[in-house]
Amino acid sequence: MDILKKIEMYREEEEKLRWEGSFADYLQLLKEKPWVAQSAHSRVYNMIKDAGIEEENGTKRYKFFCNQLFGLEEALERLVEEYFHPAAKRLDVRKRILLLMGPVSGGKSTLVTMLKRGLESYSHSDRGSIFAIKGCPMHEDPLHLIPHHLRTDFQEDYGIRIEGNLSPLNMMRLEQEYAGRIEDVLVERIFFSEDKRTGIGTFSPSDPKSQDIADLTGSIDFSTIAEFGSESDPRAYRFDGELNKANRGMMEFQEMLKCDEKFLWHLLSLTQEGNFKAGRFALISADELIVAHTNETEYRSFISNKKNEALHSRIIVMPIPYNLKVSQEERIYEKMINESDVSDVHIAPHTLRVAAMFTILTRLKEPKKGDIDLVKKMRLYDGENVEGFNSADVDELKKEYPDEGMSGIDPRYVINRISSTIIRKEVPSINALDVLRSLKDGLDQHPSITNDLRERYMNYISSARKEYDNIAKNEVQKAFVYSYEESAKTLMNNYLDNVEAYCNKSKLRDPLTGEEINPDEKLMRSIEEQIGISENAKKAFREEILIRISAFARKGKRFDYNSHDRLREAIQKKLFADLKDVVKITTSSKTPDEQQLKKINEVVARLIDEHGYNSTSANELLRYVGSLLNR
């Protein structure tokens, strides 16, 4: 469809949503749609809730955040359930400034931007519709028109509680334009827009010497004083500060803790009492969510200053740590790459995963328990099965360091190194080794990395490289084994038949001769040795397998190739061990013969068709695995 046609259709849709009527019409509308009168905090909570909530392993996932914020499920659940939800219920928590605290590039700004853009969209929906006194620069709630002595009656009739007083400007307009007839005051539907400064504001501190408090609360328009005769006439005042314009919605207070004290005192009154002082007027009511963000160093400095004690109790601090899951870190990189101009460059499979492994290792803290290392911890956090550990161990690990994830390498550094790799290599394909090399080179250029830290990070790069070596060998192994899954299943079924006969002290029947034969001990040991099962431990391992098969049978499930992680690993390694010499010769031969060349081409084709490589990255993978096997 032509873009101009789409613009026209959008304009028509906007027109359909517009509504204007008298205050009496608005009251009728409230009877039908009481949610229209919700508070700013309630609107934010309902916006998040209406987008959908899923529960997985006891943790809530909010669809509102799904495609932009990754690996922050626990932090977001805490934010929604401990701040937005009680604030929506008018509990005392709504009288607090929300301060998001976390490391750089951890998602704080993204979260605030999502709330802003979300409110803009939500205000166009029926559930998120907002109405205001027409012509009011602060988009004031029409219910402020109802006198205080009638508000109890109104609450009994409508079930809606009214908070806040009519602003000085609208009080004057009510008398002068409507002759005190509240029912005739015009009300209109408004739509939040940061660009148009409607319901969404952003305040960023500048030089304390030059910044004026008017940026927050508005200012006197001196050109109108001659016309209106007084500075205390509300018509002579410009209600254009960020607190004015963000009324009914939210205001982002950037770098709040760097701000001059006089700006922060206005927030005390606004958060606690729901009003602020502007010009020579009575207190002005405002209903808005104030969100600020900072890093841990600035916050520690702020709370150590005794002069800020009054503000401490007015702030709710929500930690937003780095993501600690490898799979989610991958998604962050994918998102950042897709938003860049290098999205057409082929990135070989597992490249981003290996980069993510390094990043997550820098953010994790060494486990206090001696039976687990950092790599196992990383796998457990990502939901992988690690033999000998379960979900209770993961919970225990998380309790060891409540501040885990507040330091380490940020996603932007990794994306910068990936971008550098793409530009420097000048080819349409990069792989995991290219990126690891670039990450290593970049450590020297990172200003905040000390020598000790650099040495530790180098070890993490080595750990990520080891993980990639295993991934690479496994990938080539799968590509070399024709009908890999079928071969694996056949080998596993053969093993299980022998294990069953061994445990039951029975014999097997030879499929060709029909004669009874003893279980094939050599076959069973050749598989078990792949995962370090000793001669003494073989009986216990085989019995465990048999118990697992029985448990599956009782539940009506079929025990298959993916039912036992260690057995699957053993089968894979056994298959690869049998093929190792073929792989080694084929991948490392400088002048492959016709048969070898055919095999290489078959493997390359399979890597491309089934595993997501292109011709360049597939051949690079084969050469690398060949070099690993020849060491």
Side-chain angles (χ1 to χ4, degrees), residues 38-291:
Q38 63 190 324
S39 67
H41 288 83
S42 177
R43 189 172 292 109
V44 172
Y45 174 68
N46 287 326
M47 168 185 75
I48 295 168
K49 190 179 72 170
D50 290 351
I53 304 172
E54 295 174 346
E55 195 154 337
E56 190 178 326
N57 299 325
T59 302
K60 289 182 179 177
R61 288 177 68 253
Y62 301 93
K63 291 184 179 178
F64 179 83
F65 300 108
C66 272
N67 297 321
Q68 294 290 323
L69 294 171
F70 306 105
L72 295 179
E73 288 82 12
E74 290 175 14
L76 291 171
E77 182 176 0
R78 189 165 60 247
L79 172 65
V80 175
E81 295 304 324
E82 293 182 18
Y83 182 78
F84 288 131
H85 194 178
K89 299 288 185 186
R90 296 180 189 267
L91 292 170
D92 207 51
V93 72
R94 73 194 170 108
K95 297 177 179 179
R96 306 286 181 273
I97 299 163
L98 175 61
L99 180 64
L100 306 176
M101 181 185 71
V104 293
S105 299
K108 303 184 298 295
S109 299
T110 303
L111 197 159
V112 175
T113 302
M114 287 188 75
L115 292 175
K116 287 179 179 179
R117 299 294 85 80
L119 280 172
E120 288 176 346
S121 298
Y122 195 58
S123 67
H124 284 76
S125 70
D126 187 49
R127 286 272 300 160
S129 52
I130 313 136
F131 295 81
I133 296 172
K134 188 176 182 184
C136 173
M138 284 184 61
H139 340 291
E140 187 164 8
D141 186 346
L143 294 182
H144 286 181
L145 289 161
I146 293 178
H148 281 271
H149 66 277
L150 294 177
R151 290 186 178 183
T152 304
D153 296 340
F154 177 83
Q155 187 174 348
E156 288 174 4
D157 288 348
Y158 286 79
I160 298 168
R161 188 193 306 172
I162 304 171
E163 292 179 335
N165 302 314
L166 198 61
S167 67
L169 179 62
N170 284 323
M171 201 174 287
M172 176 178 279
R173 290 179 64 208
L174 176 62
E175 295 303 321
Q176 295 188 358
E177 295 178 27
Y178 298 102
R181 290 181 57 82
I182 292 171
E183 62 271 30
D184 293 340
V185 174
L186 288 178
V187 175
E188 64 177 348
R189 182 174 180 179
I190 61 169
F191 304 99
F192 284 163
S193 168
E194 185 173 19
D195 293 338
K196 294 177 182 176
R197 301 188 75 212
T198 305
I200 296 175
T202 303
F203 181 81
S204 185
S206 56
D207 181 4
K209 293 176 184 175
S210 61
Q211 189 151 33
D212 190 351
I213 197 71
D215 295 343
L216 268 184
T217 60
S219 60
I220 295 166
D221 184 353
F222 289 101
S223 65
T224 62
I225 291 175
E227 181 184 349
F228 299 122
S230 169
E231 290 183 17
S232 60
D233 190 308
R235 292 169 299 177
Y237 199 84
R238 288 194 295 253
F239 293 89
D240 60 355
E242 292 305 318
L243 292 180
N244 308 108
K245 292 300 181 182
N247 186 34
R248 313 292 302 285
M250 69 173 281
M251 187 187 83
E252 177 187 8
F253 210 124
Q254 295 179 346
E255 305 294 346
M256 185 184 86
L257 303 186
K258 291 179 181 175
C259 213
D260 192 80
E261 287 174 34
K262 65 181 179 182
F263 290 88
L264 299 180
W265 297 128
H266 276 279
L267 301 183
L268 279 177
S269 173
L270 178 60
T271 51
Q272 189 63 34
E273 309 299 335
N275 51 46
F276 64 92
K277 192 81 173 75
R280 297 179 181 178
F281 308 116
L283 292 168
I284 296 174
S285 296
D287 172 31
E288 56 197 83
L289 161 69
I290 296 178
V291 187

Side-chain angles (χ1 to χ4, degrees), residues 2 12 104 119 209 266 327 355 498 535 562 593 629:
D2 179 74
E12 288 171 1
V104 293
L119 280 172
K209 293 176 184 175
H266 276 279
S327 54
N498 281 278
E535 184 70 28
N562 293 306
D593 59 31
L629 296 175

Side-chain angles (χ1 to χ4, degrees), residues 352-414:
L352 299 183
R353 182 166 187 79
V354 172
M357 284 177 182
F358 160 71
T359 311
I360 299 302
L361 286 171
T362 69
R363 298 172 184 171
L364 295 176
K365 297 194 175 184
E366 285 289 346
K368 292 177 181 177
K369 292 171 72 176
D371 59 344
I372 185 167
D373 60 25
L374 215 56
V375 172
K376 281 182 182 175
K377 183 178 181 178
M378 173 187 76
R379 287 180 177 154
L380 283 167
Y381 274 22
D382 203 33
E384 287 186 44
N385 289 319
V386 177
E387 200 70 26
F389 298 94
N390 54 37
S391 57
D393 293 303
V394 177
D395 294 337
E396 205 174 310
L397 284 168
K398 288 179 179 176
K399 287 173 186 172
E400 285 184 348
Y401 300 102
D403 62 338
E404 193 168 46
M406 297 301 275
S407 61
I409 291 289
D410 65 278
R412 284 194 196 126
Y413 170 77
V414 178

Side-chain angles (χ1 to χ4, degrees), residues 303-457:
I303 60 172
S304 64
N305 187 343
K306 293 289 182 186
K307 288 199 294 185
N308 297 324
E309 281 183 355
L311 268 170
H312 295 178
S313 60
R314 302 288 194 277
I315 293 173
I316 280 197
V317 180
M318 282 290 165
I320 306 293
Y322 281 135
N323 156 59
L324 296 176
K325 296 177 181 175
V326 171
S327 54
Q328 297 299 311
E329 191 72 12
E330 264 190 283
R331 293 183 67 191
I332 294 172
Y333 301 158
E334 284 168 5
K335 171 181 166 257
M336 294 171 88
I337 287 167
N338 289 336
E339 291 171 353
S340 73
D341 292 334
V342 296
S343 54
D344 57 335
V345 174
H346 174 77
I347 297 175
H350 312 296
T351 299
L352 299 183
R353 182 166 187 79
V354 172
M357 284 177 182
F358 160 71
T359 311
I360 299 302
L361 286 171
T362 69
R363 298 172 184 171
L364 295 176
K365 297 194 175 184
E366 285 289 346
K368 292 177 181 177
K369 292 171 72 176
D371 59 344
I372 185 167
D373 60 25
L374 215 56
V375 172
K376 281 182 182 175
K377 183 178 181 178
M378 173 187 76
R379 287 180 177 154
L380 283 167
Y381 274 22
D382 203 33
E384 287 186 44
N385 289 319
V386 177
E387 200 70 26
F389 298 94
N390 54 37
S391 57
D393 293 303
V394 177
D395 294 337
E396 205 174 310
L397 284 168
K398 288 179 179 176
K399 287 173 186 172
E400 285 184 348
Y401 300 102
D403 62 338
E404 193 168 46
M406 297 301 275
S407 61
I409 291 289
D410 65 278
R412 284 194 196 126
Y413 170 77
V414 178
I415 287 298
N416 289 345
R417 298 317 302 168
I418 290 172
S419 304
S420 172
T421 307
I422 290 167
I423 291 162
R424 191 171 63 246
K425 204 177 177 194
E426 292 182 344
V427 291
S429 173
I430 64 166
N431 60 38
L433 293 176
D434 296 326
V435 172
L436 285 177
R437 206 174 292 119
S438 183
L439 287 169
K440 182 181 174 183
D441 295 342
L443 294 177
D444 292 329
Q445 303 163 25
H446 204 294
S448 63
I449 294 178
T450 62
N451 287 335
D452 289 346
L453 207 54
R454 184 179 180 279
E455 192 175 329
R456 188 142 51 95
Y457 286 178

